[in-house]
Amino acid sequence: MESYDSEAVSKVTQWQSYIDSGIHSGMNTNVPSLSGKGNPEDDEILKQGSYTVTTTTYTATQIPDMEEQLASTRGQRVRAAMFPETLETGTRILSTQIDPGQETNVQKLSESSQMLKAAIVQLINYQDDAELATRAIPELTKLLNDEDQVIVSKATMIVNQLSKKDASCRALEQSSQMVAAVVRTMQNTSDMETVRCAAGILHNFSHHRDGMLAIFKSGGIPALVRMLSSPVESILFYAITTLHNLLLHQEGAKMAVRLADGLQKMVPLLKKNNVKFLAITTDCLQLLAYGNQESKLIILANGGPDALVHIMRTYNYEKLLWTTSRVLKVLSVCPSNKPAIVEAGGMQALGYHLGSSSPRLVQNCLWTLRNLSDAATKQEGLDPLLSTLVQLLASDDINVLTCATGILSNLTCNNARNKMVVCQVEGIEALVHTVLRAGDKEDITEPAVCALRHLTSRHPDAEIAQNKVRLKYGIPGVIRLLNQPFHWPLIKATVGLVRNLALCPSNHGPLRESGVIPQLVQLLVKAHHETQRQASGGGQQQYMDGVRMDEIVEGCTGALHILARDSNNRADITRLNTIPLFVQLLYSPVENIQRVAAGVLCELAQDREAAEEIDQEGAPAPLTEMLHSMNEGIELASIIPQALKCR
């Protein structure tokens, strides 16, 4: 055993002498950066030899001597251009350059020759590196498996040096025994410097596809995950960057990291304060969480939302903010993570970066905010965000407009405070302009119209908002949306907005002049026929683009009810032969439809001719029955029989 130990020590010393002898001029012995490349300042630079080039003016009698001298120094000039290091210091070479601004052919050849020579030297060194590593692998593998930790440590340092050169690194990673020995050494040794060297070796391997595959097959991922608990910063960096490379490029690595409890180790690392380290860590989390619900829940259970929001609030390093926003975007579609992000102040933190000069950061923040906004309708302190979103409506970017209108639509839903803030920062004007510009882009028009619908009802400034839509020439543009091919979510939103606009008496005339009444009646007839067709089939109410047809029936009837408060509108509604349909709606199984139908009949009954037609259609019977309804709205609408008696 003693003789074997002395032999092993001798081998280590021998390999160290190979590395440190300098016989391979391309050898780089510095510690690699996070990118895996060495310090460019340490790269060997080809230096030209010291020689002097002189320029002399000759007379006519001296020309023969000059020609003879030029002929005799031609070889020196070529050698000075191609191999300047071979000239002796102080050698004088006659120049043939006449115009200082124009190079001679030999001078033009110089740069290309130097580049070619450097490439040849690099090829020779590359081959030497590969051959050295190939010869060393069997013995180094044996030394890495030695019981003497001193020998293992020195062998690890040698392999680390070899792995820094591309040729020798590729040779090393081809040996599965070598990779397995490095992984085993990293896990088993208690010496932190040896662990650092071993982690550095795996980091260098992870820059090549073969190296990543070798790490994966040798069980390197669980070992690297364990290194995430190391107190040594350099080991942490090597471990997280190597795992990051594997997650990006190695098939099966994501599942291996999850099975090794990698997420449980990574989330606590978000408390570190190194921005580059955090950027890599957050990108790992995004890769693991995307498309995997279990991973999202693990991140939540380990306090991920709070830590991620803290990063968005604290740092200004663009790459870190971008990678963090990507994780939040993935988590924002998870029903469990969404409220946690909102409660942690995610809306405010993400909104702060909407003014960033980085388009990719702004876009990720917008999509995340849009995903979160339906869970943030009760959040306070969103005034700056709402103001910024209104400003973004001036953008020409379709994605920005889609997100901004969607967020405004959600945040103004059932929130009087937010409605008032948006109105005060000229949100009505901006939304009307957006609708007019968007044309047939329904991803923009639908949320914009929904936002306008919210802003024109149930808050102290609602009447002002209703007037502003008209004053900003929004009514024709809104009514035009009813003429487009049926996209039911947009139709539903537009009908609701029309109803709110009709609450303002000043809007009755412009609405009528825009042809809204025939449009509403046409939609009502179509939706009613569709509900009857579905009912006759014996099936349940079906959705069309996520909208039930009885919702369209209710909306159109409700809008006509409000419009019928104007005498001219009542005449137009009656003229379109709508009374039989309204009477039929009194028998609807949906109470809300019964209520709005009774309401519009009540308004129409103010005109004698309409009242007589209502009586002839048999409306008094169902209306009288409604008097006994428990629904307060229906009871109020049942004053129609009294109106009929008065006629």
Side-chain angles (χ1 to χ4, degrees), residues 236-257:
L236 269 179
F237 264 93
Y238 280 134
I240 197 68
T241 51
T242 305
L243 287 169
H244 185 238
N245 289 337
L246 288 162
L247 289 170
L248 282 171
H249 306 294
Q250 179 57 50
E251 184 179 357
K254 295 177 184 177
M255 183 56 67
V257 172

PDB file of all heavy atoms in Angstrom, residues 236-257:
ATOM      1  N   LEU A 236     -21.719  27.732  -5.269  1.00  0.00           N
ATOM      2  CA  LEU A 236     -23.110  28.042  -5.610  1.00  0.00           C
ATOM      3  C   LEU A 236     -23.231  28.493  -7.066  1.00  0.00           C
ATOM      4  O   LEU A 236     -24.127  28.063  -7.798  1.00  0.00           O
ATOM      5  CB  LEU A 236     -23.636  29.147  -4.692  1.00  0.00           C
ATOM      6  CG  LEU A 236     -24.317  28.731  -3.386  1.00  0.00           C
ATOM      7  CD1 LEU A 236     -24.737  29.959  -2.602  1.00  0.00           C
ATOM      8  CD2 LEU A 236     -25.526  27.862  -3.677  1.00  0.00           C
ATOM      9  N   PHE A 237     -22.323  29.363  -7.475  1.00  0.00           N
ATOM     10  CA  PHE A 237     -22.350  29.865  -8.853  1.00  0.00           C
ATOM     11  C   PHE A 237     -22.152  28.730  -9.850  1.00  0.00           C
ATOM     12  O   PHE A 237     -22.874  28.636 -10.854  1.00  0.00           O
ATOM     13  CB  PHE A 237     -21.262  30.929  -9.050  1.00  0.00           C
ATOM     14  CG  PHE A 237     -21.769  32.323  -8.886  1.00  0.00           C
ATOM     15  CD1 PHE A 237     -21.701  32.964  -7.661  1.00  0.00           C
ATOM     16  CD2 PHE A 237     -22.332  32.998  -9.955  1.00  0.00           C
ATOM     17  CE1 PHE A 237     -22.169  34.257  -7.510  1.00  0.00           C
ATOM     18  CE2 PHE A 237     -22.802  34.286  -9.809  1.00  0.00           C
ATOM     19  CZ  PHE A 237     -22.725  34.924  -8.575  1.00  0.00           C
ATOM     20  N   TYR A 238     -21.158  27.910  -9.604  1.00  0.00           N
ATOM     21  CA  TYR A 238     -20.916  26.781 -10.505  1.00  0.00           C
ATOM     22  C   TYR A 238     -22.133  25.861 -10.566  1.00  0.00           C
ATOM     23  O   TYR A 238     -22.548  25.420 -11.644  1.00  0.00           O
ATOM     24  CB  TYR A 238     -19.694  25.990 -10.037  1.00  0.00           C
ATOM     25  CG  TYR A 238     -18.367  26.589 -10.421  1.00  0.00           C
ATOM     26  CD1 TYR A 238     -17.332  26.701  -9.498  1.00  0.00           C
ATOM     27  CD2 TYR A 238     -18.136  27.029 -11.725  1.00  0.00           C
ATOM     28  CE1 TYR A 238     -16.103  27.242  -9.850  1.00  0.00           C
ATOM     29  CE2 TYR A 238     -16.906  27.574 -12.080  1.00  0.00           C
ATOM     30  CZ  TYR A 238     -15.898  27.684 -11.147  1.00  0.00           C
ATOM     31  OH  TYR A 238     -14.690  28.215 -11.512  1.00  0.00           O
ATOM     32  N   ALA A 239     -22.729  25.570  -9.414  1.00  0.00           N
ATOM     33  CA  ALA A 239     -23.859  24.638  -9.374  1.00  0.00           C
ATOM     34  C   ALA A 239     -25.066  25.204 -10.123  1.00  0.00           C
ATOM     35  O   ALA A 239     -25.681  24.507 -10.944  1.00  0.00           O
ATOM     36  CB  ALA A 239     -24.222  24.332  -7.924  1.00  0.00           C
ATOM     37  N   ILE A 240     -25.419  26.469  -9.862  1.00  0.00           N
ATOM     38  CA  ILE A 240     -26.633  27.026 -10.468  1.00  0.00           C
ATOM     39  C   ILE A 240     -26.447  27.247 -11.969  1.00  0.00           C
ATOM     40  O   ILE A 240     -27.371  27.026 -12.767  1.00  0.00           O
ATOM     41  CB  ILE A 240     -27.052  28.335  -9.756  1.00  0.00           C
ATOM     42  CG1 ILE A 240     -28.506  28.668 -10.090  1.00  0.00           C
ATOM     43  CG2 ILE A 240     -26.139  29.493 -10.131  1.00  0.00           C
ATOM     44  CD1 ILE A 240     -29.518  27.732  -9.525  1.00  0.00           C
ATOM     45  N   THR A 241     -25.244  27.661 -12.392  1.00  0.00           N
ATOM     46  CA  THR A 241     -25.033  27.882 -13.827  1.00  0.00           C
ATOM     47  C   THR A 241     -24.994  26.558 -14.589  1.00  0.00           C
ATOM     48  O   THR A 241     -25.488  26.478 -15.716  1.00  0.00           O
ATOM     49  CB  THR A 241     -23.729  28.663 -14.077  1.00  0.00           C
ATOM     50  OG1 THR A 241     -22.647  28.029 -13.377  1.00  0.00           O
ATOM     51  CG2 THR A 241     -23.842  30.093 -13.597  1.00  0.00           C
ATOM     52  N   THR A 242     -24.427  25.530 -13.969  1.00  0.00           N
ATOM     53  CA  THR A 242     -24.412  24.217 -14.620  1.00  0.00           C
ATOM     54  C   THR A 242     -25.823  23.662 -14.740  1.00  0.00           C
ATOM     55  O   THR A 242     -26.222  23.149 -15.804  1.00  0.00           O
ATOM     56  CB  THR A 242     -23.524  23.241 -13.833  1.00  0.00           C
ATOM     57  OG1 THR A 242     -22.222  23.807 -13.666  1.00  0.00           O
ATOM     58  CG2 THR A 242     -23.400  21.914 -14.564  1.00  0.00           C
ATOM     59  N   LEU A 243     -26.598  23.762 -13.673  1.00  0.00           N
ATOM     60  CA  LEU A 243     -27.992  23.320 -13.726  1.00  0.00           C
ATOM     61  C   LEU A 243     -28.782  24.116 -14.764  1.00  0.00           C
ATOM     62  O   LEU A 243     -29.638  23.566 -15.460  1.00  0.00           O
ATOM     63  CB  LEU A 243     -28.638  23.461 -12.345  1.00  0.00           C
ATOM     64  CG  LEU A 243     -28.205  22.441 -11.290  1.00  0.00           C
ATOM     65  CD1 LEU A 243     -28.697  22.849  -9.904  1.00  0.00           C
ATOM     66  CD2 LEU A 243     -28.702  21.038 -11.653  1.00  0.00           C
ATOM     67  N   HIS A 244     -28.484  25.405 -14.854  1.00  0.00           N
ATOM     68  CA  HIS A 244     -29.174  26.257 -15.835  1.00  0.00           C
ATOM     69  C   HIS A 244     -28.895  25.766 -17.252  1.00  0.00           C
ATOM     70  O   HIS A 244     -29.810  25.655 -18.083  1.00  0.00           O
ATOM     71  CB  HIS A 244     -28.710  27.704 -15.661  1.00  0.00           C
ATOM     72  CG  HIS A 244     -29.428  28.671 -16.533  1.00  0.00           C
ATOM     73  ND1 HIS A 244     -28.786  29.484 -17.445  1.00  0.00           N
ATOM     74  CD2 HIS A 244     -30.747  28.956 -16.662  1.00  0.00           C
ATOM     75  CE1 HIS A 244     -29.670  30.235 -18.078  1.00  0.00           C
ATOM     76  NE2 HIS A 244     -30.876  29.937 -17.624  1.00  0.00           N
ATOM     77  N   ASN A 245     -27.638  25.464 -17.542  1.00  0.00           N
ATOM     78  CA  ASN A 245     -27.292  24.936 -18.871  1.00  0.00           C
ATOM     79  C   ASN A 245     -28.008  23.617 -19.147  1.00  0.00           C
ATOM     80  O   ASN A 245     -28.509  23.383 -20.254  1.00  0.00           O
ATOM     81  CB  ASN A 245     -25.775  24.740 -18.984  1.00  0.00           C
ATOM     82  CG  ASN A 245     -25.025  26.058 -19.053  1.00  0.00           C
ATOM     83  OD1 ASN A 245     -25.587  27.083 -19.424  1.00  0.00           O
ATOM     84  ND2 ASN A 245     -23.761  26.035 -18.691  1.00  0.00           N
ATOM     85  N   LEU A 246     -28.062  22.761 -18.139  1.00  0.00           N
ATOM     86  CA  LEU A 246     -28.735  21.468 -18.305  1.00  0.00           C
ATOM     87  C   LEU A 246     -30.238  21.648 -18.534  1.00  0.00           C
ATOM     88  O   LEU A 246     -30.832  20.981 -19.384  1.00  0.00           O
ATOM     89  CB  LEU A 246     -28.494  20.601 -17.069  1.00  0.00           C
ATOM     90  CG  LEU A 246     -27.068  20.051 -16.909  1.00  0.00           C
ATOM     91  CD1 LEU A 246     -26.826  19.588 -15.486  1.00  0.00           C
ATOM     92  CD2 LEU A 246     -26.824  18.908 -17.888  1.00  0.00           C
ATOM     93  N   LEU A 247     -30.854  22.547 -17.785  1.00  0.00           N
ATOM     94  CA  LEU A 247     -32.291  22.792 -17.943  1.00  0.00           C
ATOM     95  C   LEU A 247     -32.611  23.342 -19.330  1.00  0.00           C
ATOM     96  O   LEU A 247     -33.666  23.055 -19.900  1.00  0.00           O
ATOM     97  CB  LEU A 247     -32.777  23.776 -16.875  1.00  0.00           C
ATOM     98  CG  LEU A 247     -32.821  23.240 -15.437  1.00  0.00           C
ATOM     99  CD1 LEU A 247     -33.087  24.372 -14.452  1.00  0.00           C
ATOM    100  CD2 LEU A 247     -33.882  22.156 -15.296  1.00  0.00           C
ATOM    101  N   LEU A 248     -31.701  24.126 -19.864  1.00  0.00           N
ATOM    102  CA  LEU A 248     -31.920  24.720 -21.183  1.00  0.00           C
ATOM    103  C   LEU A 248     -31.765  23.711 -22.310  1.00  0.00           C
ATOM    104  O   LEU A 248     -32.534  23.740 -23.279  1.00  0.00           O
ATOM    105  CB  LEU A 248     -30.937  25.879 -21.406  1.00  0.00           C
ATOM    106  CG  LEU A 248     -31.255  27.203 -20.719  1.00  0.00           C
ATOM    107  CD1 LEU A 248     -30.078  28.157 -20.866  1.00  0.00           C
ATOM    108  CD2 LEU A 248     -32.513  27.830 -21.303  1.00  0.00           C
ATOM    109  N   HIS A 249     -30.796  22.811 -22.186  1.00  0.00           N
ATOM    110  CA  HIS A 249     -30.389  22.035 -23.356  1.00  0.00           C
ATOM    111  C   HIS A 249     -30.441  20.516 -23.201  1.00  0.00           C
ATOM    112  O   HIS A 249     -30.336  19.812 -24.209  1.00  0.00           O
ATOM    113  CB  HIS A 249     -28.956  22.426 -23.761  1.00  0.00           C
ATOM    114  CG  HIS A 249     -28.770  23.895 -23.975  1.00  0.00           C
ATOM    115  ND1 HIS A 249     -29.391  24.581 -24.988  1.00  0.00           N
ATOM    116  CD2 HIS A 249     -28.032  24.811 -23.290  1.00  0.00           C
ATOM    117  CE1 HIS A 249     -29.040  25.859 -24.934  1.00  0.00           C
ATOM    118  NE2 HIS A 249     -28.222  26.027 -23.919  1.00  0.00           N
ATOM    119  N   GLN A 250     -30.578  19.987 -21.991  1.00  0.00           N
ATOM    120  CA  GLN A 250     -30.522  18.545 -21.809  1.00  0.00           C
ATOM    121  C   GLN A 250     -31.913  17.969 -21.580  1.00  0.00           C
ATOM    122  O   GLN A 250     -32.598  18.313 -20.618  1.00  0.00           O
ATOM    123  CB  GLN A 250     -29.611  18.183 -20.626  1.00  0.00           C
ATOM    124  CG  GLN A 250     -29.520  16.697 -20.339  1.00  0.00           C
ATOM    125  CD  GLN A 250     -29.039  15.900 -21.540  1.00  0.00           C
ATOM    126  OE1 GLN A 250     -28.031  16.241 -22.153  1.00  0.00           O
ATOM    127  NE2 GLN A 250     -29.762  14.847 -21.899  1.00  0.00           N
ATOM    128  N   GLU A 251     -32.325  17.070 -22.455  1.00  0.00           N
ATOM    129  CA  GLU A 251     -33.626  16.431 -22.308  1.00  0.00           C
ATOM    130  C   GLU A 251     -33.667  15.592 -21.030  1.00  0.00           C
ATOM    131  O   GLU A 251     -32.741  14.838 -20.743  1.00  0.00           O
ATOM    132  CB  GLU A 251     -33.909  15.550 -23.522  1.00  0.00           C
ATOM    133  CG  GLU A 251     -35.279  14.907 -23.518  1.00  0.00           C
ATOM    134  CD  GLU A 251     -35.523  14.058 -24.753  1.00  0.00           C
ATOM    135  OE1 GLU A 251     -34.649  14.021 -25.639  1.00  0.00           O
ATOM    136  OE2 GLU A 251     -36.593  13.418 -24.810  1.00  0.00           O
ATOM    137  N   GLY A 252     -34.730  15.724 -20.278  1.00  0.00           N
ATOM    138  CA  GLY A 252     -34.887  14.979 -19.034  1.00  0.00           C
ATOM    139  C   GLY A 252     -34.334  15.687 -17.814  1.00  0.00           C
ATOM    140  O   GLY A 252     -34.558  15.241 -16.683  1.00  0.00           O
ATOM    141  N   ALA A 253     -33.630  16.802 -18.033  1.00  0.00           N
ATOM    142  CA  ALA A 253     -33.007  17.495 -16.903  1.00  0.00           C
ATOM    143  C   ALA A 253     -34.051  18.125 -15.981  1.00  0.00           C
ATOM    144  O   ALA A 253     -33.880  18.137 -14.754  1.00  0.00           O
ATOM    145  CB  ALA A 253     -32.039  18.557 -17.410  1.00  0.00           C
ATOM    146  N   LYS A 254     -35.139  18.645 -16.549  1.00  0.00           N
ATOM    147  CA  LYS A 254     -36.160  19.301 -15.713  1.00  0.00           C
ATOM    148  C   LYS A 254     -36.763  18.316 -14.717  1.00  0.00           C
ATOM    149  O   LYS A 254     -36.892  18.623 -13.523  1.00  0.00           O
ATOM    150  CB  LYS A 254     -37.246  19.913 -16.598  1.00  0.00           C
ATOM    151  CG  LYS A 254     -36.753  21.053 -17.475  1.00  0.00           C
ATOM    152  CD  LYS A 254     -37.860  21.564 -18.380  1.00  0.00           C
ATOM    153  CE  LYS A 254     -37.323  22.631 -19.321  1.00  0.00           C
ATOM    154  NZ  LYS A 254     -38.360  23.108 -20.270  1.00  0.00           N
ATOM    155  N   MET A 255     -37.126  17.159 -15.213  1.00  0.00           N
ATOM    156  CA  MET A 255     -37.710  16.161 -14.317  1.00  0.00           C
ATOM    157  C   MET A 255     -36.698  15.718 -13.266  1.00  0.00           C
ATOM    158  O   MET A 255     -37.049  15.520 -12.089  1.00  0.00           O
ATOM    159  CB  MET A 255     -38.204  14.959 -15.125  1.00  0.00           C
ATOM    160  CG  MET A 255     -38.897  13.887 -14.284  1.00  0.00           C
ATOM    161  SD  MET A 255     -40.291  14.542 -13.334  1.00  0.00           S
ATOM    162  CE  MET A 255     -41.420  14.948 -14.688  1.00  0.00           C
ATOM    163  N   ALA A 256     -35.434  15.571 -13.669  1.00  0.00           N
ATOM    164  CA  ALA A 256     -34.393  15.150 -12.724  1.00  0.00           C
ATOM    165  C   ALA A 256     -34.208  16.184 -11.618  1.00  0.00           C
ATOM    166  O   ALA A 256     -34.037  15.834 -10.439  1.00  0.00           O
ATOM    167  CB  ALA A 256     -33.075  14.916 -13.466  1.00  0.00           C
ATOM    168  N   VAL A 257     -34.249  17.468 -11.979  1.00  0.00           N
ATOM    169  CA  VAL A 257     -34.105  18.524 -10.969  1.00  0.00           C
ATOM    170  C   VAL A 257     -35.301  18.522 -10.025  1.00  0.00           C
ATOM    171  O   VAL A 257     -35.149  18.672  -8.809  1.00  0.00           O
ATOM    172  CB  VAL A 257     -33.946  19.902 -11.651  1.00  0.00           C
ATOM    173  CG1 VAL A 257     -33.997  21.027 -10.616  1.00  0.00           C
ATOM    174  CG2 VAL A 257     -32.637  19.975 -12.427  1.00  0.00           C
TER     175      VAL A 257
END
